[in-house]
PDB file of all heavy atoms in Angstrom:
ATOM      1  N   ILE B1117     -59.085 -26.374  60.552  1.00  0.00           N
ATOM      2  CA  ILE B1117     -59.270 -27.536  59.693  1.00  0.00           C
ATOM      3  C   ILE B1117     -58.679 -28.779  60.369  1.00  0.00           C
ATOM      4  O   ILE B1117     -57.819 -28.672  61.251  1.00  0.00           O
ATOM      5  CB  ILE B1117     -58.632 -27.343  58.301  1.00  0.00           C
ATOM      6  CG1 ILE B1117     -57.143 -27.028  58.419  1.00  0.00           C
ATOM      7  CG2 ILE B1117     -59.358 -26.265  57.521  1.00  0.00           C
ATOM      8  CD1 ILE B1117     -56.420 -26.924  57.091  1.00  0.00           C
ATOM      9  N   LEU B1220     -29.393 -38.459  62.236  1.00  0.00           N
ATOM     10  CA  LEU B1220     -29.374 -37.327  61.302  1.00  0.00           C
ATOM     11  C   LEU B1220     -30.118 -36.118  61.826  1.00  0.00           C
ATOM     12  O   LEU B1220     -29.573 -35.015  61.924  1.00  0.00           O
ATOM     13  CB  LEU B1220     -29.962 -37.773  59.966  1.00  0.00           C
ATOM     14  CG  LEU B1220     -30.163 -36.678  58.924  1.00  0.00           C
ATOM     15  CD1 LEU B1220     -28.831 -36.087  58.506  1.00  0.00           C
ATOM     16  CD2 LEU B1220     -30.905 -37.238  57.711  1.00  0.00           C
ATOM     17  N   PHE B1221     -31.373 -36.284  62.215  1.00  0.00           N
ATOM     18  CA  PHE B1221     -32.181 -35.128  62.566  1.00  0.00           C
ATOM     19  C   PHE B1221     -31.809 -34.550  63.929  1.00  0.00           C
ATOM     20  O   PHE B1221     -31.957 -33.355  64.153  1.00  0.00           O
ATOM     21  CB  PHE B1221     -33.667 -35.470  62.487  1.00  0.00           C
ATOM     22  CG  PHE B1221     -34.114 -35.613  61.071  1.00  0.00           C
ATOM     23  CD1 PHE B1221     -34.304 -36.863  60.513  1.00  0.00           C
ATOM     24  CD2 PHE B1221     -34.290 -34.505  60.270  1.00  0.00           C
ATOM     25  CE1 PHE B1221     -34.661 -36.998  59.200  1.00  0.00           C
ATOM     26  CE2 PHE B1221     -34.652 -34.628  58.955  1.00  0.00           C
ATOM     27  CZ  PHE B1221     -34.847 -35.875  58.415  1.00  0.00           C
ATOM     28  N   LYS B1239     -31.225  -8.611  62.187  1.00  0.00           N
ATOM     29  CA  LYS B1239     -31.712  -7.290  61.804  1.00  0.00           C
ATOM     30  C   LYS B1239     -32.247  -7.294  60.372  1.00  0.00           C
ATOM     31  O   LYS B1239     -33.200  -6.570  60.056  1.00  0.00           O
ATOM     32  CB  LYS B1239     -30.626  -6.247  61.971  1.00  0.00           C
ATOM     33  CG  LYS B1239     -30.268  -5.967  63.427  1.00  0.00           C
ATOM     34  CD  LYS B1239     -29.233  -4.863  63.546  1.00  0.00           C
ATOM     35  CE  LYS B1239     -28.915  -4.592  65.011  1.00  0.00           C
ATOM     36  NZ  LYS B1239     -27.887  -3.519  65.168  1.00  0.00           N
ATOM     37  N   GLU B1276     -31.955 -13.346  47.756  1.00  0.00           N
ATOM     38  CA  GLU B1276     -32.200 -14.696  47.246  1.00  0.00           C
ATOM     39  C   GLU B1276     -31.461 -15.736  48.079  1.00  0.00           C
ATOM     40  O   GLU B1276     -32.031 -16.793  48.410  1.00  0.00           O
ATOM     41  CB  GLU B1276     -31.783 -14.816  45.775  1.00  0.00           C
ATOM     42  CG  GLU B1276     -32.087 -16.199  45.207  1.00  0.00           C
ATOM     43  CD  GLU B1276     -31.598 -16.381  43.784  1.00  0.00           C
ATOM     44  OE1 GLU B1276     -31.067 -15.424  43.201  1.00  0.00           O
ATOM     45  OE2 GLU B1276     -31.745 -17.510  43.268  1.00  0.00           O
ATOM     46  N   ASP B1322     -44.719 -24.019  75.087  1.00  0.00           N
ATOM     47  CA  ASP B1322     -44.805 -22.971  76.109  1.00  0.00           C
ATOM     48  C   ASP B1322     -43.873 -21.810  75.802  1.00  0.00           C
ATOM     49  O   ASP B1322     -44.230 -20.637  75.991  1.00  0.00           O
ATOM     50  CB  ASP B1322     -44.458 -23.544  77.495  1.00  0.00           C
ATOM     51  CG  ASP B1322     -45.521 -24.524  77.986  1.00  0.00           C
ATOM     52  OD1 ASP B1322     -46.673 -24.434  77.514  1.00  0.00           O
ATOM     53  OD2 ASP B1322     -45.188 -25.370  78.843  1.00  0.00           O
TER      54      ASP B1322
END
Side-chain angles (χ1 to χ4, degrees):
I1117 57 176
L1220 173 64
F1221 288 102
K1239 291 183 179 179
E1276 182 184 357
D1322 292 337

